[in-house]
Amino acid sequence: MESDSLMALMNHFCEKLDGIRFMVDLKTNKKMCEDDEDEITCQEHIEDLAEEIDGLSGTLKDIKSALKYRQSKVNELKALTETIDVSCLQHMVDNLPTHLPKPVKPDPPQQNKCCEDEITAAPVRRTSSSEDKENNPKKRGPSRGRRPAKNVYIPTLVYITVEEFEGVPKYMKGRMNYSQVNTAIDELNKAFSEKYKVLGMKRTTLNDLNKKRYERYKEQESKDTKGEHFIVDGDIKEFTNFKMDSVGRSVLTILRHVGRIKEIRGGKLTRYACIEVY
């Protein structure tokens, strides 16, 4: 090499010697560490950490790919919401089919009996006869007003579904549409409701008209109708606008076909029994 002065040459060789000494020290430490158990254990820990880092890298890669997939789905949903016409949904809400079941009102909560228990447990104070007359008026007998109606089971025909209607043979349906059948079910349910309301009342509370109905309903029962809930042609004519013409007969045939009613004949009567659908 070229040097401007002897001092610069000396500095150059000193740097080279320092580098050689450092390399010799590293070589010596390496030989010493080959027999050191702690160094071997440390090396094993380093290898384990390297494996864990590789595993975490793979997991992170999977998370990134899943996140990318979810983001694409979110973008698709955003694009879909932009294409939805809200006016169509409002039109559907405003034009719901009339035969859809109406929401059932929940039963009123039962009154708490704590107040009754407190009144029963309260101490009774002795009073004079005059005070008793003033403070405790004479008790009246039971009210002759409207009595609370007891729970009465009202059989109800369930609407048929579109799939069931489409499965009915063409010769049964004729030109009848799906809505006509469910409208007829509404009418038949009126007859079931009126009949079994009368049967659910006490005979002592019935007026003359309902007493005759009650007796007629009982006469229509037979051993074949035990456990069944049914109506007859007279009930349909009395309580509904359902006409027993060719269309009405076709409706009853369809309801028998889809398993909503069954006929029980006997005693010159045709009874239309309700079939429970669960």
Side-chain angles (χ1 to χ4, degrees):
M1 62 171 292
E2 297 181 357
S3 300
D4 297 337
S5 62
L6 183 60
M7 183 61 68
L9 182 62
M10 184 182 68
N11 292 334
H12 173 73
F13 279 106
C14 287
E15 291 177 359
K16 294 294 184 182
L17 290 173
D18 291 337
I20 292 170
R21 291 193 189 95
F22 181 74
M23 293 171 60
V24 171
D25 291 339
L26 289 176
K27 187 175 181 181
T28 304
N29 290 332
K30 182 179 179 182
K31 291 181 178 179
M32 293 176 63
C33 290
E34 288 178 354
D35 300 330
D36 192 353
E37 295 181 357
D38 293 338
E39 182 68 20
I40 296 174
T41 305
C42 182
Q43 186 67 25
E44 292 176 353
H45 287 320
I46 293 173
E47 293 176 356
D48 294 338
L49 288 173
E51 293 178 358
E52 291 181 5
I53 291 172
D54 292 338
L56 290 174
S57 299
T59 304
L60 183 61
K61 185 177 180 181
D62 295 338
I63 292 173
K64 287 181 177 180
S65 61
L67 183 61
K68 186 177 180 181
Y69 173 76
R70 298 296 179 187
Q71 187 63 40
S72 64
K73 290 297 180 182
V74 169
N75 295 333
E76 291 178 3
L77 291 175
K78 287 182 179 180
L80 182 61
T81 54
E82 292 176 356
T83 59
I84 294 176
D85 188 1
V86 181
S87 61
C88 294
L89 298 178
Q90 187 62 41
H91 177 75
M92 294 171 62
V93 173
D94 296 338
N95 297 275
L96 291 175
T98 57
H99 59 267
L100 287 179
K102 298 180 180 179
V104 180
K105 295 182 179 180
D107 296 333
Q110 297 181 355
Q111 294 181 352
N112 198 347
K113 296 184 179 181
C114 295
C115 297
E116 297 178 5
D117 296 337
E118 291 176 3
I119 294 173
T120 304
V124 179
R125 184 171 61 88
R126 301 286 295 179
T127 60
S128 63
S129 59
S130 61
E131 291 177 347
D132 289 340
K133 292 180 181 179
E134 294 176 359
N135 298 331
N136 299 323
K138 186 182 292 184
K139 294 182 179 179
R140 298 182 179 180
S143 174
R144 296 183 179 273
R146 182 179 297 177
R147 297 186 178 182
K150 65 179 181 179
N151 294 329
V152 180
Y153 173 73
I154 305 295
T156 304
L157 298 177
V158 180
Y159 295 118
I160 69 171
T161 63
V162 176
E163 290 78 9
E164 288 175 323
F165 183 75
E166 291 177 351
V168 176
K170 182 66 176 178
Y171 72 89
M172 288 187 186
K173 293 185 293 187
R175 296 182 179 180
M176 196 180 311
N177 57 39
Y178 171 74
S179 180
Q180 284 179 293
V181 178
N182 282 333
T183 302
I185 288 177
D186 287 332
E187 294 296 320
L188 295 175
N189 282 334
K190 292 178 183 178
F192 277 106
S193 177
E194 294 298 327
K195 174 181 177 178
Y196 284 92
K197 281 180 182 178
V198 174
L199 289 175
M201 298 171 66
K202 293 183 179 180
R203 295 193 64 176
T204 56
T205 62
L206 297 174
N207 56 28
D208 293 339
L209 178 60
N210 284 332
K211 281 183 180 179
K212 293 180 181 179
R213 289 172 176 169
Y214 188 94
E215 293 173 357
R216 184 173 73 248
Y217 296 153
K218 289 299 182 182
E219 290 174 357
Q220 293 171 354
E221 295 179 357
S222 65
K223 63 179 182 179
D224 296 330
T225 63
K226 186 177 181 180
E228 303 287 352
H229 300 85
F230 64 91
I231 55 176
V232 297
D233 292 343
D235 302 326
I236 297 173
K237 184 178 180 181
E238 182 179 6
F239 298 116
T240 73
N241 297 321
F242 187 88
K243 296 181 180 180
M244 298 297 289
D245 52 10
S246 59
V247 177
R249 296 293 178 186
S250 298
V251 170
L252 296 176
T253 302
I254 292 173
L255 295 181
R256 286 200 309 271
H257 179 78
V258 298
R260 294 298 187 273
I261 62 172
K262 63 180 179 181
E263 290 186 357
I264 303 175
R265 298 178 181 270
K268 299 180 180 181
L269 282 176
T270 301
R271 303 166 181 85
Y272 306 103
C274 175
I275 299 177
E276 300 289 348
V277 178
Y278 300 100

